[in-house]
């Protein structure tokens, strides 16, 4: 039961302060009134130490699915959250559900309780639940969010799985290169003598000497370089330029455009289908794309829509968004079936995004193998070339 601090007046007009327990503020005021204390200030004591924790896609999907299923079955929202709280195994999730339960018990809505969780829930999800509360279909909003985050989780899992091999290959390449420069190349210095050493071998020897003599400077430089790159990429103007250049890369830019379009279409379908007005839906959808350049462009789209232009014409020439999306939205606007077409289009783009992701990752593996071959091959050539020259001179 929540505990409150209160400040009030007695019948003798004496100011009194203290603590009291009650299920909610209204009940607590009545309890104090029964004690002839007329409180004018009542504040709940925070019983849990809540730290900002952003839930991952899998956790968001599970939460939405379980909540939506219980609400569809007619279980009240407070009872649903109490069930989720009692079955939560993760301590962080338990605190989140407890925070939601306590906030709703004060008479607040679920969307307000989610906003009060300090960034735990994405803005998209909060807006969806807010729209569901306004239309009386919060259970449907929850189930839509479950589908949305399940798809996002599957895509994230696929990306992580597909990137495992290239990352391992990159690590092996770096390890082999360092081993060759640190141990193999120096061992040949005494064998080569002062004869006519090929240029590639002299370069390798120079690199090897530098690595073995100044390894600590190299480590410091790498750390500073990584920190510098991270800092630079956080600058809004740089983010904007980098995300724009991504879309201009041959082949890769086209595949990214399909993935970005799929994200936008899926989110727009969910928001608009739940009753969110078009401008808010476009604004919320653009933030899920993952490209700062496109977020900026969609701010311009919202201005055009506010001025009376159609959504289809406003997004027609945006770099990074497939033109097929504009054509489909146009048909929906003309036929009055935009919500149905958005849903169908989102499903189609999800399939295309999955295929585009597979093609994109399939380009990385051969590129890494070629890079490893070139690096290791160049080092071996630099080592073997003078040995072959020396061998031929003895014949």
């Amino acid at each position: 039961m929540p505990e409150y601090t209160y400040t009030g007046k007695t019948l003798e007009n004496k100011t009194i302060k203290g603590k009291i327990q009650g299920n909610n503020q209204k009940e607590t005021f009545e309890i104090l009134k029964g004690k002839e204390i007329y409180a004018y200030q009542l504040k709940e004591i925070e019983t849990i130490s809540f730290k900002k924790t952003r839930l991952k896609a899998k956790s968001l999907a599970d939460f939405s699915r379980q909540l939506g299923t219980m609400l569809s079955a007619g279980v009240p929202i407070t009872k649903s959250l109490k069930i989720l709280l009692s079955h939560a195994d993760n301590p962080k999730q338990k605190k989140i559900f407890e925070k939601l339960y306590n906030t709703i018990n004060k008479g607040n809505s679920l969307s307000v309780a989610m906003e009060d969780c300090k960034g735990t829930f994405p803005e998209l999800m909060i807006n969806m639940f807010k729209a569901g509360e306004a239309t009386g279909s919060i259970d449907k909003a929850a189930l839509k969010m479950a589908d949305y985050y399940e798809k996002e989780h599957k895509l994230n899992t696929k990306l992580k799985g597909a990137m495992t091999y290239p990352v391992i290959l990159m690590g092996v390449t770096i390890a082999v290169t360092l081993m060759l420069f640190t141990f193999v190349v120096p061992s040949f210095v005494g064998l080569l003598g002062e004869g006519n050493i090929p240029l590639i071998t002299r370069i390798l020897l120079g690199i090897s000497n530098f690595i073995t003599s100044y390894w600590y400077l190299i480590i410091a430089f790498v750390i500073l370089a990584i920190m510098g790159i991270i800092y630079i990429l956080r600058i809004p103007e740089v983010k904007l330029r980098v995300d724009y250049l991504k879309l201009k890369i041959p082949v890769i830019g086209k595949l990214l455009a399909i993935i970005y379009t799929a994200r936008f279409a899926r989110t727009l379908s969910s928001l608009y289908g739940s009753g969110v007005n078009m401008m808010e839906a476009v604004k919320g959808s653009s933030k899920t794309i993952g490209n700062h350049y496109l977020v900026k462009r969609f701010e311009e789209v919202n201005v055009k829509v506010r001025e009376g232009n159609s959504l289809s014409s406003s997004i027609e020439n945006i770099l990074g968004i497939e033109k097929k999306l504009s054509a489909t939205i146009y048909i929906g606007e003309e036929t009055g079936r935009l919500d149905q077409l958005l849903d169908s289009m989102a499903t189609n783009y999800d399939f295309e995004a999955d295929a585009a992701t597979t093609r994109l990752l399939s380009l990385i593996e051969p590129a890494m193998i070629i890079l490893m071959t070139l690096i290791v091959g160049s080092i071996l050539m630099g080592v073997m070339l003078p040995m072959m020259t020396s061998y031929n001179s003895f014949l």
Side-chain angles (χ1 to χ4, degrees), residues 58-231:
K58 179 69 168 65
S59 299
L60 292 170
D62 290 343
F63 167 74
S64 299
R65 178 71 63 195
Q66 292 166 8
L67 183 63
T69 302
M70 285 188 282
L71 291 174
S72 298
V75 181
I77 191 164
T78 49
K79 180 68 174 175
S80 300
L81 287 170
K82 197 168 185 178
I83 293 170
L84 288 174
L85 176 60
S86 63
H87 288 83
D89 297 324
N90 187 302
K92 289 182 179 179
Q93 286 190 16
K94 201 174 185 74
K95 284 187 176 182
I96 291 167
F97 295 153
E98 188 176 350
K99 178 78 172 177
L100 289 175
Y101 179 77
N102 289 340
T103 307
I104 288 174
N105 260 344
K106 297 176 188 175
N108 296 299
S109 65
L110 178 59
S111 58
V112 171
M114 292 167 76
E115 284 177 331
D116 199 37
C117 284
K118 305 174 183 177
T120 297
F121 298 95
E123 187 179 342
L124 164 68
M125 192 173 190
I126 294 170
N127 288 337
M128 279 290 289
F129 276 96
K130 198 175 288 183
E133 290 163 351
T135 57
S137 56
I138 190 171
D139 55 333
K140 293 178 181 177
L143 293 173
K144 275 192 176 184
M145 283 289 89
D147 292 336
Y148 178 89
Y149 285 109
E150 278 169 5
K151 289 175 182 176
E152 187 170 302
H153 172 65
K154 286 178 183 177
L155 181 61
N156 292 340
T157 303
K158 184 175 182 178
L159 283 170
K160 287 177 182 177
M163 285 301 295
T164 301
Y165 177 70
V167 168
I168 292 173
L169 195 59
M170 173 64 81
V172 170
T173 302
I174 294 171
V176 170
T177 303
L178 288 174
M179 184 183 69
L180 289 172
F181 275 124
T182 307
F183 301 107
V184 178
V185 174
S187 66
F188 283 91
V189 175
L191 298 175
L192 297 177
E194 300 294 332
N196 187 22
I197 301 174
L199 176 62
I200 187 171
T201 307
R202 290 202 299 272
I203 293 171
L204 289 176
L205 287 173
I207 294 172
S208 176
N209 290 333
F210 184 79
I211 290 174
T212 53
S213 301
Y214 302 103
W215 57 267
Y216 51 90
L217 291 178
I218 295 171
I219 293 173
F221 174 78
V222 170
I223 293 171
L224 289 173
I226 292 172
M227 291 173 63
I229 290 169
I230 292 172
Y231 175 77

Side-chain angles (χ1 to χ4, degrees), residues 352-378:
E352 289 191 24
D354 188 58
T357 303
T358 303
R359 291 199 301 273
L360 185 62
L361 294 170
S362 69
L363 296 174
I364 297 174
E365 292 182 14
M368 291 299 303
I369 292 171
I370 292 170
L371 178 64
M372 183 177 181
T373 303
L374 289 173
I375 293 172
V376 176
S378 300

Side-chain angles (χ1 to χ4, degrees), residues 240-256:
L240 205 67
R241 187 63 182 170
V242 169
D243 284 348
Y244 170 74
L245 292 175
K246 284 180 189 175
L247 298 169
K248 302 292 286 184
I249 301 172
V251 183
I252 293 176
K254 177 68 175 174
L255 296 176
L256 285 174

Side-chain angles (χ1 to χ4, degrees), residues 12 29 53 124 191 229 293 296 305-306 314 321 381:
E12 292 79 22
F29 273 118
T53 305
L124 164 68
L191 298 175
I229 290 169
Y293 167 75
K296 191 73 175 175
V305 172
R306 195 178 294 113
S314 300
I321 295 295
M381 184 185 296

Side-chain angles (χ1 to χ4, degrees), residues 250-322:
V251 183
I252 293 176
K254 177 68 175 174
L255 296 176
L256 285 174
I258 295 172
I259 294 170
Y260 292 150
T261 305
R263 288 177 185 168
F264 177 78
R266 190 195 323 148
T267 313
L268 184 66
S269 170
S270 298
L271 287 172
Y272 188 70
S274 296
V276 179
N277 71 70
M278 182 54 76
M279 284 193 294
E280 285 298 319
V282 170
K283 183 181 178 182
S285 301
S286 66
K287 291 179 180 179
T288 66
I289 292 174
N291 185 292
H292 293 85
Y293 167 75
L294 287 175
V295 171
K296 191 73 175 175
R297 291 303 308 272
F298 273 106
E299 288 176 4
E300 298 168 8
V301 167
N302 255 342
V303 172
K304 290 180 181 179
V305 172
R306 195 178 294 113
E307 289 173 351
N309 295 298
S310 66
L311 177 61
S312 56
S313 63
S314 300
I315 68 170
E316 189 175 7
N317 297 313
I318 293 181
L319 176 67
I321 295 295
E322 293 280 285

